[in-house]
Structure formats: C-alpha cells, structure tokens
Amino acid sequence: MRRIVRGALVLSLASAGTIVVAQPSSAACAPEKPKFTLSGAKTSYRPTNIVSDFIQGPGRISYSKTKTAEASWSGSVGIGGDIGPIVAKMTASLEGSYTRGWSKASTWSYSLEIARGKTQRIRMYHASKKVKVSKKTFNTGRCTWRTAYTNKTVDVPKRQNVNVWKRENL
C-alpha cells in the first residue's frame, strides 16, 4: 500500500512496520546578486557640449566661454538599468574613478589654427573608459547561473577633470 503524506512517501510493510523515505526537496537557493565581468578596457574620450562654431580656413578658432561641461555614459542597448553596478565594478577594478555622468562648471578657453580649404570647429572631449561587459544572473529555483548578456560595450566618463580638444570637420 502506498500513500503520500505531507511531501514524504510512506510505505506500509506487513512485517517491518512503516518506513518514511524523504522525497527530493524543491527548496530554492539563496538569492545571489548579478555578476558583472569586464574585459578589453581602453581609454577613450566622450564628446562634451563645449564646442565652437565652424570657421573656414585659413584662420584661427578662439573659444572662451563660462559654461558647465557635460559628458555622460553610452552603451549597448539593454544595459541601461545595469549602469550603476557596472560603474561601481569599474571603479573597484580599473584604474581611476568613474561616473554615469560628469559635469564641471568653468571658463573653457582654447584656440586652434585652421588650414586653408578646411572648415572646422573644436570640441572638448572628456576622458572615459570603454569596456566590454558580461552579466550573469542567478536562478534561485534551479540554483544555477545564467548568462544575461556578453560583450556589451559601455563608455563611461572618468570622475576626474581630464579633457582634450579635438578638431571636427564640417
């Protein structure tokens, strides 16, 4: 005779009495935070909103303005909600300190010669780090790690005030 009592299998045997055999448990594992892996870190520069007008050469562009410069992170589709933990991982494991968005109020001044036949302007770029990110999430029902995405690219500004001016052609 077989019957199930509260998750355990109970067997009644005439000569041996009752034996209780535990069934496999479906208990879930403890939750784990997602794991982010960084690879291929390279120094890069994010464009800021500090930019001159275009001029046609020969001539000189002179830019001087008091303004708040801004540069923000960019990245592959689907990682927006993960940018906080990614920035924290970058700051903890890469040289430097990183932020979702950098801004600094200052007077920005620069000048540059433009060659004959060129139409150019200058823009300030802010130092950043471009990395590939992979994310794994933990399935508590199966007690296994699952790959959410691999090799998604992010470009995150440095917290420090490190900038370069670059020419941009029309």
Side-chain angles (χ1 to χ4, degrees):
M1 165 183 215
R2 289 175 35 171
R3 61 189 171 120
I4 297 180
V5 177
R6 292 188 187 176
L9 179 64
V10 178
L11 296 173
S12 294
L13 300 174
S15 63
T18 302
I19 300 172
V20 177
V21 180
Q23 296 224 335
S25 171
S26 63
C29 295
E32 298 270 351
K33 288 184 179 179
K35 291 183 181 179
F36 295 93
T37 305
L38 309 176
S39 64
K42 296 178 184 174
T43 297
S44 63
Y45 291 88
R46 303 281 313 132
T48 70
N49 59 320
I50 305 295
V51 61
S52 72
D53 292 332
F54 281 100
I55 70 159
Q56 192 171 22
R60 175 178 277 286
I61 295 175
S62 293
Y63 181 90
S64 183
K65 195 168 199 176
T66 300
K67 190 171 181 178
T68 300
E70 299 172 340
S72 61
W73 76 278
S74 71
S76 300
V77 173
I79 61 167
D82 292 334
I83 195 61
I86 291 170
V87 168
K89 173 85 174 184
M90 289 175 69
T91 297
S93 61
L94 300 175
E95 185 177 312
S97 179
Y98 300 89
T99 182
R100 295 176 197 206
W102 169 85
S103 67
K104 179 164 177 61
S106 187
T107 299
W108 308 100
S109 299
Y110 200 78
S111 64
L112 183 67
E113 291 293 327
I114 304 300
R116 178 179 302 280
K118 300 277 186 176
T119 302
Q120 297 178 321
R121 68 181 180 184
I122 54 176
R123 179 183 300 269
M124 188 175 79
Y125 284 73
H126 183 72
S128 62
K129 193 69 82 169
K130 188 178 280 191
V131 297
K132 294 205 179 285
V133 181
S134 298
K135 176 184 178 182
K136 290 188 176 189
T137 57
F138 192 70
N139 182 324
T140 55
R142 294 187 176 174
C143 299
T144 58
W145 286 95
R146 173 183 135 336
T147 301
Y149 54 77
T150 58
N151 293 327
K152 298 264 188 171
T153 302
V154 294
D155 194 355
V156 178
K158 282 195 166 195
R159 191 173 300 278
Q160 298 84 353
N161 187 30
V162 179
N163 308 298
V164 298
W165 292 85
K166 295 183 181 183
R167 299 172 190 258
E168 294 182 341
N169 295 315
L170 181 62

